[in-house]
Amino acid sequence: MKRILLICLFVAVHSIVAQAQFRRKNQTTVAPDIKKGNNLNYSAPTEYFIGGIDITGLNVLDKNALISLTGLKVGDKIKIPGTATATAVRKLWKHGLVGDVTIVADRIEDDKVYILIQLTERPRLTDFYFTGLSSSKQSSLKEDMRLIRGKIVTDAMIRNAESSVKRHFTKKGFLNIQVNIIKERDTLNRGGVRLRINVDVQSKVKIKHILFEGNQQVSDQKLKSMFKKTHEKAQFSLHRAILSSLLDFKPRYVKEYIDSSRQMNWREVKDFLGNHVKLNFLRSSKFIRGEYEEDKKKLIARLNNEGFRDAEILSDSIIKSGYSTIDLKLKVNEGKKYYFRNITWTGNFLYTSATLNKVLDIRKGDVYSQELIQKKTTFNPKGGADISGPYMDDGYLFFRVTPVEVAVVNDSIDVEMRIFEGDQAIIDQVPITGNERTSEHVIRRELSTIPGRKFSRSDLIRTQQQLSQMGYFNAQKIEPEVRPNPANGTVNIGWKVEEQSNDQVQLSGGWGGYYGFVGTVGLTFNNFSLRNVPHFKKWRPLPVGDGQKLSLQMQANGKSFQSYSISFSEPWFGGRKPNSLTVSLNHSISRIPSGRSGFTLNFDATSAYLKQSGITIGFGRRLEWPDSYFTLTHSVSYLVYQYNRYFNSSTLPIYGTTNSLTFNTTLSRNSIDNPMFPKSGSTISLSLNLTPPYSLFRSASYYLDNTQRYNWIELHKWMFDSKFYLTLIGSKKPEGRSLVLETKAHFGYIGTYNNKIGGVGPFERFLMGGAGLTGGFNSFVLGQDIIGLRGYPDNQVTPPLYALRGSVGVNGIEGGIIYNKFGMEVRYPVVTSQAATVYSFVFTEAGNNWNNYQDFNPFNLYRSAGFGARIFMPAFGLIGLNWAYGFDTLPGASNRSGQQFHFTIGQQIR
């Protein structure tokens, strides 16, 4: 009995120990499968139904969503051991949301298994910050970083962040940059980490030397100049640069100085001049690999254009020459230098070979250049001398020419131009898009590309200029979309425009001391629609879209000057032809105070004044001859001047009324490419004002009576204005930046029909000097033409001095009757966008103003020079600020004019 009891006790204890070991083994699993327990046999897998799924280790992720990702569901039948659990682990890892994953069998009840998924979530990015960088560098770097807060932090994210930092600074020449990113636990956010990005930019890597090997015909310096952005560090001091700049003026003295200073000998100076005439010390020498690779391609292209068609870079290497400097060593093979020999034409029926050779303008013996051939044979929508020009202007849009090298003999190449002329293309459809404010008929009437016409490149260029000059659209975005249809011999030309508001509000004001408030209020609607005024639904937000112009302006200088004007212009009067109609009304009054009480000027019934009221009606039309850039305008004006003690002259009555009936004819040509910042083209205008020749029908005694001598103004007035624009450096495209030269010349002359009336009266004369504004202190004048001349006070270049008005002078009449002015301005754009156009400039100009024809001398001029900037904003128009220095002394002054500041509003015609 005792033996039986001991055996039972032994079996019971052994059973309890075995069950404990089974539980412990089932809870200690090895991913990605379930660890076998007391009834799991790897050699004989058993099928179970999933009785339940639980997950531990979650912080942010949703439990049900993760269970769904595993692909396991309660009730599914799986084999244990089997592939289902391994697949579930891979699915979780695939989404990158978790790190370690372990699946265990929590318990087994009959044919059901309860699964427990133990995991750790990957940390999420809560913040990142930099060390070793200034605030300004951090702000620019953050724009290039692609770190998003809340994203899972992975090894790929760390590597990409490190690459972004290095790439950002490598572009700026910091090739030795060191980046170390450390993950820090965020104690405020469970499961979150912060990235500390340690950056050591070190110093920029610069190019010390660019070395060439193998070049026999092209010098090292010329090869270096072919690199656009890759330049070596300047190897000379500013001291030497200054000395070399003096060689053109006093070489003997400079030579002696250089020899005595023992800094470099005469031979070194000559070598220096040859190598650094382009002032390379102003260039950047930092090394940027992307720019270097591009410059290597440009080097080969430039050598090809120099006739070395077989040129190649055999090898190149980067040699570290210092801690932050490198040397670039390139081995080049120039090959032969080739020249054009014979150029023949085939397939040309419309034009002879001699005509095409003249357009091609490549002669036998010229240096061979594939780029030149490409330029001379490729269609250029902007115009220019190329073979396609004569064909494209005659409708042959499908024309093409293929240059083929047919023979290479020693250093000479024969080229055969194979032409396919094709058929003439007829314009089919001309769609217009982007005009949200402007009516389509306003755009379509400006088009020279009309359905049914033959295609013409000249019409394409002309249309683009016309749309730009309208001012309603962004000139940089006006581009034709030419879509040929060779199957039916037609072409569709689409015009895509981008609207810009060019309505202008002019507001200026200030306190003019004794004169009181000085201000100007002006509104100009450049795309007005008179017919839409009663239709409020078509206002956007004003009645716009028909291309009409409405201008309202009020100007005041206290009680001493007020001016009111309104004008309306219809550019297509009648709607069929570009015949313009303009109507304008104006009323102005200028007063001279009778005295002063303290800081107040007295204006009463005894104050001298000049009143002007008038109306002008003008009619203009475009001309087709000599070309379509010409316009002819005719107008008639009626003005009434009323004055009281305003003129201090023995030939004028104390008070009276003068009438002016004037007929004007203006012939002008405008071919500029952009009204705000022209890069090419010109504006030329010749204007003639004529009054009726009253003196031919009156006796000489009529003009002896001063009370009636100037009842009617009698004169003829000639005005000539011209401006020419030339791109010196840069792109001629509207969106490109260029250095542009403006040259201008102006001339004015006033004469009478005979000597009965005693010369030109007090009206319509020329006042010169200053900014050329008909407003501002000493500039509120009536009945005169204001001519600007920067560098001198407003209206002071005027016989006699304008400051003498009201005192005893030469008949008390101020103003010249003949003037001329010349100027030159170099401009560079700072901003060219739809919102604003800003450009800086330097200028020089000269002019003079004479009171009689005998003293006229076109070379006796008052000179000035200076610089400034202008800004154009559609809402406010063109505003300019000028600093100028007058080099000459005005009559009656003791010193030269000196420095002057000028403020301008609007386009200055003269």
Side-chain angles (χ1 to χ4, degrees):
M1 194 66 181
K2 289 180 180 180
R3 186 177 298 171
I4 294 173
L5 289 174
L6 289 173
I7 293 172
C8 291
L9 180 61
F10 176 78
V11 171
V13 172
H14 181 75
S15 176
I16 292 172
V17 172
Q19 288 182 5
Q21 289 177 350
F22 171 76
R23 292 193 186 97
R24 187 165 58 251
K25 288 180 180 179
N26 275 295
Q27 293 175 358
T28 306
T29 61
V30 179
D33 209 342
I34 297 180
K35 194 75 173 179
K36 64 180 179 181
N38 63 334
N39 55 353
L40 297 180
N41 188 352
Y42 272 95
S43 61
T46 305
E47 289 187 342
Y48 293 94
F49 290 98
I50 298 176
I53 303 173
D54 197 9
I55 299 179
T56 62
L58 295 179
N59 291 322
V60 179
L61 298 175
D62 182 71
K63 173 182 176 180
N64 294 327
L66 283 179
I67 293 174
S68 176
L69 291 178
T70 64
L72 301 176
K73 294 182 293 185
V74 175
D76 286 354
K77 181 184 287 187
I78 63 172
K79 286 184 178 182
I80 298 178
T83 60
T85 54
T87 301
V89 172
R90 285 194 295 270
K91 287 183 177 179
L92 289 175
W93 282 344
K94 177 182 177 181
H95 291 84
L97 299 174
V98 297
D100 296 333
V101 180
T102 302
I103 299 180
V104 301
D106 187 46
R107 66 182 185 278
I108 296 176
E109 296 178 358
D110 299 328
D111 61 346
K112 294 181 180 180
V113 60
Y114 292 85
I115 295 174
L116 177 64
I117 303 175
Q118 299 173 340
L119 55 79
T120 57
E121 291 187 17
R122 288 187 182 274
R124 293 177 179 269
L125 180 66
T126 57
D127 194 11
F128 64 93
Y129 65 97
F130 300 95
T131 61
L133 295 177
S134 63
S135 300
S136 59
K137 289 183 178 179
Q138 290 186 31
S139 61
S140 61
L141 175 58
K142 286 179 181 180
E143 296 177 0
D144 291 343
M145 300 289 289
R146 297 182 180 180
L147 293 176
I148 302 175
R149 291 173 175 83
K151 283 275 190 177
I152 301 294
V153 178
T154 63
D155 292 339
M157 174 189 282
I158 301 296
R159 289 193 300 270
N160 290 336
E162 183 177 338
S163 299
S164 296
V165 175
K166 288 184 176 180
R167 187 167 51 250
H168 175 84
F169 285 100
T170 299
K171 291 180 181 179
K172 300 181 178 181
F174 297 96
L175 301 188
N176 296 326
I177 182 173
Q178 299 293 327
V179 182
N180 182 28
I181 300 180
I182 300 174
K183 291 187 288 186
E184 298 176 343
R185 182 171 172 269
D186 191 345
T187 57
L188 300 179
N189 294 278
R190 189 176 64 174
V193 297
R194 304 167 70 221
L195 296 182
R196 185 178 79 219
I197 306 174
N198 301 321
V199 182
D200 182 9
V201 295
Q202 301 188 32
S203 57
K204 288 184 179 181
V205 174
K206 297 191 175 183
I207 304 168
K208 187 174 183 180
H209 296 107
I210 301 178
L211 308 172
F212 291 95
E213 288 184 4
N215 51 311
Q216 301 296 326
Q217 304 180 66
V218 184
S219 67
D220 289 2
Q221 188 61 33
K222 188 168 185 179
L223 289 175
K224 293 175 186 178
S225 68
M226 293 180 181
F227 282 163
K228 185 176 182 181
K229 295 183 178 180
T230 305
H231 309 291
E232 64 183 11
K233 195 174 181 180
Q235 301 300 315
F236 59 97
S237 65
L238 184 60
H239 169 69
R240 295 187 176 189
I242 294 173
L243 289 178
S244 64
S245 66
L246 300 175
L247 292 177
D248 291 335
F249 304 99
K250 296 182 179 180
R252 180 170 62 87
Y253 302 110
V254 176
K255 178 180 183 300
E256 293 174 357
Y257 177 80
I258 293 174
D259 289 339
S260 63
S261 66
R262 296 183 180 178
Q263 296 196 35
M264 58 182 177
N265 58 39
W266 183 247
R267 184 184 298 276
E268 290 174 332
V269 173
K270 291 194 295 183
D271 292 340
F272 164 79
L273 285 175
N275 293 334
H276 301 94
V277 68
K278 293 185 178 180
L279 298 180
N280 291 338
F281 64 88
L282 298 176
R283 294 178 175 178
S284 172
S285 61
K286 63 185 178 183
F287 176 75
I288 299 176
R289 182 173 291 277
E291 294 179 353
Y292 172 56
E293 295 298 328
E294 288 296 321
D295 278 344
K296 287 195 296 183
K297 297 177 183 178
K298 289 183 172 67
L299 174 66
I300 297 301
R302 291 282 299 275
L303 286 173
N304 292 158
N305 293 335
E306 296 284 343
F308 300 98
R309 65 190 286 271
D310 302 326
E312 59 180 337
I313 297 176
L314 300 177
S315 64
D316 68 296
S317 57
I318 301 174
I319 304 171
K320 190 173 181 63
S321 59
Y323 176 73
S324 60
T325 59
I326 59 173
D327 292 342
L328 300 180
K329 188 175 182 180
L330 298 94
K331 188 174 182 179
V332 300
N333 177 25
E334 301 160 329
K336 285 184 179 180
K337 187 169 185 177
Y338 293 89
Y339 302 87
F340 286 104
R341 191 171 70 167
N342 299 318
I343 297 178
T344 57
W345 301 85
T346 62
N348 54 309
F349 301 102
L350 292 172
Y351 299 98
T352 64
S353 298
T355 301
L356 295 177
N357 276 327
K358 187 176 181 180
V359 177
L360 187 66
D361 196 26
I362 297 177
R363 296 174 176 81
K364 185 176 182 178
D366 286 353
V367 174
Y368 183 79
S369 171
Q370 292 179 338
E371 181 181 330
L372 179 60
I373 294 177
Q374 187 75 11
K375 181 179 179 181
K376 289 288 188 176
T377 57
T378 303
F379 168 63
N380 181 5
K382 301 291 184 181
D386 59 76
I387 296 300
S388 65
Y391 286 94
M392 294 292 182
D393 285 343
D394 199 22
Y396 291 91
L397 176 62
F398 309 114
F399 155 88
R400 65 177 179 269
V401 55
T402 305
V404 179
E405 297 178 0
V406 294
V408 179
V409 181
N410 294 325
D411 62 350
S412 299
I413 299 177
D414 293 343
V415 180
E416 182 178 271
M417 300 290 188
R418 298 174 183 176
I419 290 180
F420 171 76
E421 294 178 338
D423 298 324
Q424 290 176 312
I426 304 300
I427 300 174
D428 184 15
Q429 299 178 9
V430 184
I432 299 172
T433 57
N435 52 314
E436 300 175 354
R437 301 175 75 240
T438 305
S439 301
E440 183 168 320
H441 75 275
V442 174
I443 303 175
R444 198 164 291 281
R445 69 193 185 188
E446 301 291 341
L447 302 183
S448 300
T449 55
I450 301 174
R453 280 189 182 179
K454 289 188 303 183
F455 174 83
S456 171
R457 183 178 67 172
S458 297
D459 289 343
L460 208 66
I461 298 170
R462 177 60 174 150
T463 298
Q464 188 168 0
Q465 290 178 333
Q466 283 293 110
L467 295 179
S468 298
Q469 291 178 4
M470 291 174 72
Y472 311 150
F473 313 111
N474 185 355
Q476 301 177 17
K477 300 294 182 67
I478 300 174
E479 288 291 341
E481 298 177 356
V482 181
R483 298 185 289 273
N485 302 313
N488 57 8
T490 62
V491 58
N492 296 335
I493 302 176
W495 291 98
K496 186 177 181 180
V497 298
E498 182 180 297
E499 294 269 9
Q500 67 178 14
S501 175
N502 65 339
D503 297 332
Q504 298 174 8
V505 179
Q506 183 179 345
L507 295 172
S508 63
W511 184 254
Y514 296 116
Y515 292 92
F517 177 77
V518 179
T520 299
V521 177
L523 297 174
T524 301
F525 306 104
N526 288 301
N527 194 6
F528 192 71
S529 176
L530 189 62
R531 64 186 178 95
N532 287 335
V533 170
H535 306 291
F536 295 101
K537 293 182 179 180
K538 296 182 179 180
W539 287 34
R540 296 187 297 272
L542 296 169
V544 298
D546 282 348
Q548 299 163 345
K549 182 176 180 179
L550 177 64
S551 180
L552 307 169
Q553 189 174 55
M554 181 179 71
Q555 199 173 16
N557 185 8
K559 291 185 178 181
S560 66
F561 182 89
Q562 292 97 36
S563 177
Y564 312 91
S565 65
I566 179 172
S567 67
F568 175 80
S569 178
E570 167 58 75
W572 282 70
F573 184 62
R576 292 188 174 185
K577 294 183 178 181
N579 299 327
S580 63
L581 174 67
T582 302
V583 179
S584 63
L585 300 169
N586 67 83
H587 174 74
S588 303
I589 180 170
S590 177
R591 298 183 179 91
I592 299 177
S594 58
R596 190 179 73 186
S597 301
F599 291 97
T600 303
L601 296 177
N602 298 327
F603 294 95
D604 50 33
T606 62
S607 298
Y609 66 82
L610 171 64
K611 296 180 181 179
Q612 171 192 295
S613 302
I615 180 172
T616 300
I617 300 176
F619 180 79
R621 63 189 181 95
R622 295 181 194 166
L623 304 179
E624 296 298 327
W625 185 90
D627 58 38
S628 58
Y629 295 109
F630 279 88
T631 58
L632 182 64
T633 304
H634 306 283
S635 66
V636 58
S637 300
Y638 176 68
L639 299 175
V640 177
Y641 297 97
Q642 295 177 308
Y643 49 90
N644 182 9
R645 291 184 295 274
Y646 193 80
F647 300 104
N648 183 19
S649 172
S650 59
T651 60
L652 288 169
I654 296 176
Y655 59 90
T657 300
T658 298
N659 301 276
S660 174
L661 180 63
T662 306
F663 301 92
N664 173 270
T665 297
T666 301
L667 178 66
S668 61
R669 186 182 187 274
N670 186 348
S671 62
I672 60 175
D673 57 346
N674 188 329
M676 289 303 103
F677 188 79
K679 295 184 178 181
S680 62
S682 61
T683 60
I684 304 173
S685 173
L686 178 62
S687 175
L688 172 62
N689 287 351
L690 296 173
T691 65
Y694 305 108
S695 60
L696 299 181
F697 310 105
R698 293 172 177 165
S699 63
S701 60
Y702 177 86
Y703 295 97
L704 296 177
D705 186 354
N706 290 339
T707 60
Q708 60 185 13
R709 172 183 292 183
Y710 295 116
N711 283 351
W712 289 89
I713 294 176
E714 181 178 337
L715 53 79
H716 55 89
K717 187 174 185 179
W718 303 75
M719 303 289 285
F720 173 79
D721 302 286
S722 65
K723 294 182 180 180
F724 298 87
Y725 300 91
L726 175 66
T727 298
L728 300 176
I729 302 173
S731 172
K732 292 184 178 180
K733 296 181 179 180
E735 66 277 8
R737 293 193 175 186
S738 306
L739 193 67
V740 178
L741 171 66
E742 178 200 60
T743 57
K744 55 187 177 181
H746 307 280
F747 174 80
Y749 167 81
I750 305 174
T752 58
Y753 300 109
N754 58 59
N755 296 324
K756 291 181 183 179
I757 61 176
V760 179
F763 302 103
E764 305 294 333
R765 288 174 172 254
F766 304 122
L767 305 182
M768 177 180 283
L773 289 175
T774 55
F777 300 113
N778 295 326
S779 296
F780 288 99
V781 295
L782 296 178
Q784 313 289 6
D785 270 330
I786 308 297
I787 313 298
L789 185 62
R790 290 166 290 185
Y792 297 90
D794 289 342
N795 305 329
Q796 292 295 304
V797 188
T798 300
L801 285 181
Y802 187 76
L804 299 177
R805 176 163 61 167
S807 62
V808 179
V810 181
N811 289 328
I813 298 177
E814 293 84 17
I817 59 175
I818 184 171
Y819 88 94
N820 66 342
K821 175 185 172 183
F822 306 97
M824 182 183 300
E825 193 169 282
V826 178
R827 304 172 172 180
Y828 184 78
V830 180
V831 177
T832 55
S833 65
Q834 183 177 359
T837 298
V838 182
Y839 62 89
S840 58
F841 58 86
V842 294
F843 71 89
T844 179
E845 59 187 20
N848 204 348
N849 192 7
W850 294 269
N851 191 35
N852 58 72
Y853 316 121
Q854 293 77 20
D855 295 337
F856 173 68
N857 181 353
F859 304 106
N860 180 21
L861 305 175
Y862 293 98
R863 303 159 299 164
S864 66
F867 60 88
R870 296 189 184 99
I871 177 172
F872 172 79
M873 292 184 292
F876 299 100
L878 188 64
I879 301 172
L881 182 64
N882 305 258
W883 179 90
Y885 189 89
F887 297 107
D888 297 302
T889 303
L890 293 173
S894 56
N895 299 312
R896 62 178 61 184
S897 179
Q899 61 179 352
Q900 304 279 336
F901 284 95
H902 304 288
F903 179 75
T904 60
I905 299 177
Q907 289 279 13
Q908 303 299 298
I909 299 176
R910 302 178 180 93

